[in-house]
Amino acid sequence: MELLIILLSLGFLIFFAYRGFSVIIIAPLCALFAVFFTDPSYVLPFFSNVFMEKMVGFVKLYFPVFLLGAVFGKVIEMTGIAERIAKIIVRFIGAKQAILTVVLMGAILTYSGVSLFVAVFAIYPFAAQLFREANIPKRLIPATIAFSAFTFSMDAIPGSPQIQNVIPTSFFNTDVYAAPILGLVGAAFIFASGMLYLESRRRKAAANGEGYYGIGKNKISEPTANGELAATTETVHTQTSSASTTKIVMKDWLAFLPLILVGVMNKFFTVNIPKWYADGFEFATLGLNEYGSVNMNQQLAIWSVELALLVGIFTAIALNFQAVKANFQASLNVGISGALLATMNTASEFGFGGVIAALPGFAVVQNALSTAFTHPLINGAVLTNTLAGITGSGSGGISITLGIMAEKYVEAAAAFDIPLEVMHRVMSMAAGGMDTLPHNGAVITLLAVCGLTHRQAYKDIFVITIIKTLACFFIICLYMLTGLV
């Protein structure tokens, strides 16, 4: 019964999220539904001390990242940087390769250390420009961005600084380059499968006469670059021939500078902030005992991203100050509104996951999965995938799994003669599998940034989710057959 309550709560959340209801209100209601049927007297305490604590904690940590990411996205759009980069890529790769272009851009950002949520804000202006140029349906943008930032570059390619690839290091005494051959083969599997699927969707849309703004009753409207509403009664034709023949000058190449600086400065601050605060920071030394001390391990990555984004924002503004000056206030307000919505959507989901993880039924799920599969690789993959799906968080799923099972996995790996590097790579990739179900915070943020609903765009994201999940079991089979690490 306790397990059924959790499944019903999760099912309601997915259903209402897919139907377009705001998870800001639906997530707490579904969480408290589960609490009520566990014990009605728990509802108010769980709401105050679990849901709200988790939600507010998320906002406290990540709102500046959301805000700066949104501002960065608006600035690169206002300054024409997105248009310039689209021009260069169309020139060298071709308009028909718009999907590949977006995937590579997202992968570069993610692998350089840019947060997944920030990557969504940064990639969308480029993707919208390229898809509009190539007349590819806008509804495919979310799946393309999800594929670029949430899959192979996040946890499969060795060396990724994303949290899903970092968490196992502290449990298995490995590093982020663990199992490089398996990681690269898994990344290649994901990349090839995902590109084949997305290109097949593009070709099918083109054969049906569907352009960027859709077709028939599914047409969409959005502001164009000059602020006017795009027409939805006519088919938008591809406008890539002029872009492919236009001469590219040095000023166009400078458009890449803000992106490069975000990645480079993120690494710079990650390395140097610990040196600046080698002894940590205690407010007690200032006579402010009530503020305690700063958790440098928790804040390092966040501070690094925030400072790197500030550098990127100021650099983008400097490249075309006049364009920003003309419409800065209105665009800034739009960016802030988007950041607020995205933060609250994700924070509400985080609160939901916290409530579910605290219920007795969650322990039933953990115990059942931990005993159902004896092989540590399969057990780790299944348990991590399941918990990531339930909580709607890859980092949450792998944290819970390793927090409970790490010692058992180390013992089992030794018994099965499995290198801990392989355990690291398998569980890291599993964390980014079923976490992208409809209630996932990053998915909700992605759809909100793109201005689309689950009904319009989630189906293709789900296929990418399945591909990523299968890739984890693909590398398990590969290891068992070849012993490659």
Side-chain angles (χ1 to χ4, degrees), residues 148-310:
S148 72
F150 301 173
T151 59
F152 63 96
S153 60
M154 181 179 76
D155 51 40
I157 301 179
S160 172
Q162 297 298 329
I163 192 66
Q164 291 83 354
N165 191 40
V166 174
I167 289 173
T169 61
S170 60
F171 291 95
F172 297 137
N173 292 322
T174 52
D175 58 38
V176 292
Y177 296 93
I181 297 176
L182 286 179
L184 290 172
V185 172
F189 175 90
I190 298 167
F191 181 81
S193 302
M195 286 301 303
L196 286 172
Y197 173 74
L198 291 172
E199 285 295 337
S200 70
R201 296 291 288 165
R202 178 191 65 78
R203 289 193 297 270
K204 182 177 180 180
N208 293 334
E210 181 182 0
Y212 180 80
Y213 295 100
I215 190 172
K217 64 179 182 179
N218 295 320
K219 283 194 173 185
I220 61 173
S221 300
E222 68 174 4
T224 58
N226 61 7
E228 297 175 356
L229 193 64
T232 60
T233 57
E234 301 177 3
T235 302
V236 179
H237 300 287
T238 306
Q239 300 174 343
T240 57
S241 57
S242 60
S244 62
T245 57
T246 303
K247 183 179 180 180
I248 297 172
V249 297
M250 181 57 68
K251 188 176 181 181
D252 293 321
W253 287 107
L254 286 175
F256 286 96
L257 185 60
L259 272 182
I260 295 171
L261 281 177
V262 169
V264 171
M265 296 309 294
N266 184 32
K267 179 66 174 178
F268 172 82
F269 289 122
T270 300
V271 171
N272 286 281
I273 287 177
K275 299 177 182 178
W276 301 340
Y277 297 96
D279 300 322
F281 190 90
E282 298 284 346
F283 279 94
T285 60
L286 305 177
L288 302 172
N289 297 350
E290 65 271 25
Y291 295 105
S293 60
V294 177
N295 185 337
M296 289 298 174
N297 292 330
Q298 185 182 59
Q299 295 294 339
L300 175 60
I302 298 172
W303 284 356
S304 299
V305 169
E306 290 169 357
L307 292 173
L309 283 170
L310 283 172

